[in-house]
Amino acid sequence: MTNDFKKEKKEDYFVNLKAISTEVLQEKVQDNAWVIVDTRLNDAYNGWKLDGVKRGGHIKGAVDFSANWLSVYSDRKDEVLEQALKTKRIDLDKNIVLYDANGKDALVVADYLSKKGYKYLYKYDIKQWADNENLPMERYKNYQMIVPAFIIKDILDGKIPETFEDSKNIKMIEASWGEESYTKGHIPTSVHVNTDIIEPPPTWMLDNDDNLIKFALDYGLTKDDTVIVSSSTPMASYRLAVILRYIGVKDVRVLNGGTNSWLSAGYELEFTSNPKHSCTNFGADIPVNSQLVVTTSELRQKLKEKNKFILVDNRTWDEHIGKVSGYTYYDKKGRIPGALYGHSGSDSVSLEEYRNIDNTMRNKYEILEMWDKENIDVNRQLIFMCGSGWRAAEVLTYANVIGVENTSLYSDGWMGWSLDNSNLIEVGEHK
């Protein structure tokens, strides 16, 4: 599914919405006949302060349906958005309060809904709610881990945005497999990292610690850096980000939604190749956060005490039950005994069940509901895995963003496990 963006003009929308007061909205938040909808960028819903809002986050109990989703071109757009309405219980017979902070987003969504037959639509300015400290708002515990495009633009313009007040040596990195993506345009000042450097072919599994030390020094990375990773393929940025955290970079962030979110915000890409600058001292012994990555031998030992953790399999259902391997270059099928199905997407390079249509992170409550249905208990240690670490790295980061922090990545994944014929495997549906 390809997602492209275009800019919309406020004057294109002529929906006549009735404004609702803060007092009335307070009464309706818990009313099942009403649905409160945040129409802003998902970054604002997550916790970032956008458009002059005093407090970041969303009204407690609100769902998200971003106006930005309507600017995406996708061959499955109608289907995906219809499913989103159903999942969020934005029903035709409900009273729908659409709130924003810029006077535009609510109108965009209202126009879309009215054309689908929705009649009971209201608008609200979230600034009024955010100004009153006594009214409840929620933001994700670690929302700062995934960064909106406008925050990066502020940094490039020499400003110091929220959550970056104590950041040192802010560095931009663009991650991708191969060189082609970088040459087609990247976030300005970004240095390119080919993921083959940290997971070399032909197995494409995480390299040893000695080579990761060489990688860090070659790219001038130190433990005190703040690194923001972007990519035209978001999964690549999360893969690299988790490895940077593993080796010990203190502050690692990812551009939410990937390069497309930068373009959607109206910013230009850079086509100049930026050189890397090496250093001689990382500042700590690598890896600093060894617990973040679980090796095959460690997992084999952990499986002897399954009640202490949950192995979350972030592959497709067909991969999980051993119907397909998921990869053209690898043919072994099955799953690790005891692994629970953790959802992912339609194939090995997709993650639709964890993303919105614009490739931003799906909301916390829907992720937790999905896990609950699969008996994934967030009060236990969660070890995420997939085929070779890419999908699972993104899901692990999302878990950390929403406050699920007792997590690790089984980086070698199904490939690493099944390469050893002495390791047990399962196939078929769970009994």
Side-chain angles (χ1 to χ4, degrees):
M1 180 173 67
T2 58
N3 297 336
D4 298 310
F5 297 82
K6 70 174 183 177
K7 299 292 287 182
E8 302 284 3
K9 296 181 180 179
K10 180 176 179 179
E11 56 266 30
D12 289 340
Y13 303 97
F14 299 97
V15 181
N16 185 21
L17 289 180
K18 180 180 179 181
I20 192 171
S21 69
T22 300
E23 292 72 25
V24 173
L25 183 57
Q26 284 180 265
E27 298 173 359
K28 304 303 182 183
V29 168
Q30 301 298 327
D31 189 332
N32 290 332
W34 291 71
V35 181
I36 316 303
V37 182
D38 191 324
T39 66
R40 302 171 298 164
L41 288 175
N42 285 94
D43 302 295
Y45 185 88
N46 296 351
W48 293 94
K49 298 174 186 176
L50 180 64
D51 292 320
V53 173
K54 184 177 180 180
R55 289 185 290 158
H58 53 273
I59 294 175
K60 187 175 181 179
V63 300
D64 58 329
F65 195 95
S66 173
N68 196 58
W69 301 352
L70 300 173
S71 299
V72 176
Y73 285 109
S74 165
D75 51 5
R76 295 182 56 234
K77 179 176 178 177
D78 291 342
E79 174 190 348
V80 172
L81 293 180
E82 189 64 39
Q83 182 59 48
L85 292 173
K86 181 179 179 181
T87 299
K88 299 168 193 298
R89 300 174 179 85
I90 304 175
D91 303 325
L92 281 168
D93 61 344
K94 298 284 184 68
N95 296 287
I96 313 296
V97 178
L98 306 169
Y99 73 76
D100 63 20
N102 61 7
K104 171 185 175 181
D105 293 335
L107 295 178
V108 174
V109 176
D111 181 77
Y112 170 77
L113 293 178
S114 65
K115 290 175 180 176
K116 295 181 72 66
Y118 287 78
K119 297 179 180 179
Y120 313 113
L121 303 174
Y122 302 84
K123 65 180 179 180
Y124 180 72
D125 184 352
I126 184 62
K127 291 180 182 177
Q128 299 176 38
W129 189 281
D131 282 345
N132 187 340
E133 297 282 351
N134 295 318
L135 297 178
M137 293 186 71
E138 292 184 338
R139 64 182 184 186
Y140 301 157
K141 182 177 180 180
N142 298 308
Y143 73 93
Q144 77 284 350
M145 292 179 68
I146 51 175
V147 181
F150 75 90
I151 289 290
I152 295 177
K153 184 64 165 60
D154 279 352
I155 291 170
L156 296 178
D157 289 343
K159 300 176 184 177
I160 304 176
E162 61 170 303
T163 78
F164 284 87
E165 293 86 354
D166 299 321
S167 297
K168 300 178 181 179
N169 306 320
I170 300 176
K171 297 175 180 178
M172 296 296 307
I173 288 180
E174 195 265 1
S176 64
W177 181 54
E179 306 293 334
E180 184 178 359
S181 175
Y182 184 73
T183 62
K184 289 183 177 180
H186 47 267
I187 309 302
T189 75
S190 294
V191 173
H192 181 239
V193 171
N194 182 343
T195 55
D196 277 353
I197 297 173
I198 61 169
E199 45 181 27
T203 58
W204 289 284
M205 285 184 281
L206 184 62
D207 212 339
N208 60 57
D209 290 342
D210 287 341
N211 285 334
L212 291 178
I213 292 171
K214 294 176 183 177
F215 155 70
L217 297 180
D218 192 33
Y219 278 80
L221 299 172
T222 74
K223 67 178 181 64
D224 295 320
D225 289 339
T226 294
V227 177
I228 304 175
V229 189
S230 60
S231 179
S232 60
T233 306
M235 212 179 288
S237 57
Y238 287 99
R239 172 60 167 168
L240 178 59
V242 170
I243 302 311
L244 293 177
R245 291 168 56 195
Y246 165 73
I247 66 176
V249 178
K250 284 184 178 179
D251 189 1
V252 183
R253 326 264 188 125
V254 176
L255 172 59
N256 192 19
T259 306
N260 267 340
S261 68
W262 180 264
L263 294 172
S264 178
Y267 305 137
E268 298 291 329
L269 294 176
E270 178 184 66
F271 298 91
T272 302
S273 180
N274 298 301
K276 62 182 185 293
H277 299 283
S278 63
C279 66
T280 58
N281 185 12
F282 180 75
D285 293 332
I286 291 175
V288 174
N289 299 308
S290 59
Q291 78 287 347
L292 190 56
V293 172
V294 173
T295 65
T296 296
S297 60
E298 289 171 338
L299 180 61
R300 194 182 296 116
Q301 186 64 33
K302 281 179 171 291
L303 286 171
K304 296 177 181 179
E305 299 180 286
K306 295 180 182 179
N307 61 321
K308 292 186 177 180
F309 76 99
I310 294 175
L311 182 60
V312 182
D313 187 354
N314 295 121
R315 297 181 297 159
T316 66
W317 177 249
D318 283 350
E319 288 174 273
H320 183 70
I321 64 174
K323 186 176 181 180
V324 299
S325 73
Y327 300 87
T328 57
Y329 57 90
Y330 194 76
D331 60 1
K332 291 189 177 181
K333 306 170 186 177
R335 66 175 174 271
I336 300 173
L340 295 184
Y341 178 54
H343 295 263
S344 59
S346 55
D347 55 38
S348 62
V349 295
S350 303
L351 209 59
E352 300 102 323
E353 291 176 277
Y354 284 91
R355 297 179 186 165
N356 301 310
I357 194 171
D358 60 357
N359 283 332
T360 55
M361 173 187 154
R362 189 178 181 183
N363 89 40
K364 165 184 176 178
Y365 314 103
E366 292 168 14
I367 291 175
L368 291 176
E369 183 178 1
M370 182 168 62
W371 286 349
D372 185 61
K373 290 179 180 178
E374 304 297 343
N375 296 314
I376 297 172
D377 182 358
V378 297
N379 295 309
R380 294 163 66 182
Q381 182 192 18
L382 302 183
I383 300 178
F384 296 96
M385 60 154 288
C386 56
S388 62
W390 283 47
R391 286 173 284 181
E394 184 166 341
V395 177
L396 179 147
T397 304
Y398 292 162
N400 295 164
V401 167
I402 65 178
V404 179
E405 298 174 312
N406 186 11
T407 56
S408 299
L409 176 71
Y410 174 43
S411 183
D412 290 348
W414 168 247
M415 292 185 190
W417 182 266
S418 57
L419 280 173
D420 186 340
N421 291 327
S422 68
N423 288 330
L424 297 176
I425 65 170
E426 290 180 343
V427 295
E429 298 193 14
H430 294 272
K431 297 179 180 179

